Each structure stands twice: as C-alpha cells, then as structure tokens.
Amino acid sequence: MVNHIDRTSYTEGLHRVADHCSAWLEPPGGWGLSNSGVVRAGDEVLVIDTQNDMRMARAMRAALDQCFGSRDPAHTTIVNTHHDLDHWTGNGVFDAGRIIATDAAVKEMRSTPDPDSLPDLVEPDTAAGAWARGQAETFDYTA
C-alpha cells in the first residue's frame, strides 16, 4: 500500500507532511541548504538535522515554537543524520535534552574546523579560496 502525500510548494519554512510530521525546507537546495524533519508525539519533539547556520536554525526554531509552543528542552531530541555542517551546525539553537548521531558522525563533527575559519585553510587566489569566502559571506556560524 502506498500512502499519497499532498504536494507542497518548495518554499522556505515549515511544511506539514502528515499528522505530527513536518519538513523544514531550504530552497533552492545545494551546498549548505539542507532540509530538516520534525516529528511531534505529545510533548516530545524530534528534530532531524538542524540546519547549516544560526539564521536558518533560529528561523526553524521560531517556526517550531510558533506551531508547538515553547517546551522543556528535555522533551526535544535531535537526530543528526551525518557529519556535514549543514546537518548539525544549528544544534545549539535547540537546547535539546538529547542528541543522537552515529559514533562515526560524532568523530567527524569533533574534528571539523570552525566553519568561519574555512577561508584561512585554503589558498586565497584559488577556486577553493573563492568558494570558502563565498560560504563565509553567505552563512552565519556565530552562536
């Protein structure tokens, strides 16, 4: 049996997918623009990936608070699907009681350099340097 889900527009924000399930979308997609999932069961909220930067994470948190109300952090669980920055950099915005990730992801997260230092890690007059500067200018990693 296949459950059909109504189409939703691909616009930034929180979109209901099914009862108690939502998706936070970050169009147009691409590096640093990931989507997140949200599942609510009673007082518990599960957030799947927390966005790439503080602006995005705060916007998602504000939308969740508006929909579900403020809640005790002990009732929030984060699942980080993997170690790429765009899936976990916003963790601190959520004050979660629990964060779940694989051991391999945690190891990579702990060894990831501060994203604001990316331009300093590459030669400035290269394609990698231009890319790193662009990321630093686009995303806000300050807590």
Side-chain angles (χ1 to χ4, degrees):
M1 180 176 146
V2 175
N3 292 321
H4 296 279
I5 299 172
D6 293 334
R7 288 186 169 265
T8 188
S9 59
Y10 188 41
T11 58
E12 180 179 357
L14 193 62
H15 297 271
R16 183 181 173 279
V17 176
D19 288 344
H20 311 290
C21 296
S22 301
W24 179 268
L25 304 179
E26 282 289 342
W31 196 96
L33 299 173
S34 64
N35 301 314
S36 298
V38 181
V39 179
R40 181 167 185 203
D43 289 342
E44 298 287 325
V45 175
L46 175 73
V47 179
I48 304 162
D49 295 330
T50 59
Q51 294 299 306
N52 186 42
D53 78 352
M54 297 303 109
R55 179 196 61 78
M56 294 174 188
R58 286 185 196 107
M60 185 169 76
R61 171 70 191 261
L64 295 178
D65 287 349
Q66 184 177 4
C67 287
F68 305 140
S70 295
R71 66 204 156 280
D72 182 341
H75 296 288
T76 300
T77 300
I78 291 171
V79 174
N80 294 131
T81 58
H82 60 286
H83 71 276
D84 291 351
L85 288 171
D86 57 329
H87 295 266
W88 65 273
T89 307
N91 283 2
V93 170
F94 289 88
D95 304 320
R98 294 170 296 279
I99 299 175
I100 300 170
T102 66
D103 290 339
V106 171
K107 181 179 177 183
E108 291 292 329
M109 290 174 192
R110 288 183 175 149
S111 66
T112 299
D114 177 355
D116 283 328
S117 70
L118 286 175
D120 300 329
L121 300 176
V122 293
E123 293 294 324
D125 297 327
T126 64
W131 175 84
R133 284 190 308 280
Q135 297 309 304
E137 293 166 2
T138 302
F139 299 110
D140 173 14
Y141 296 109
T142 57

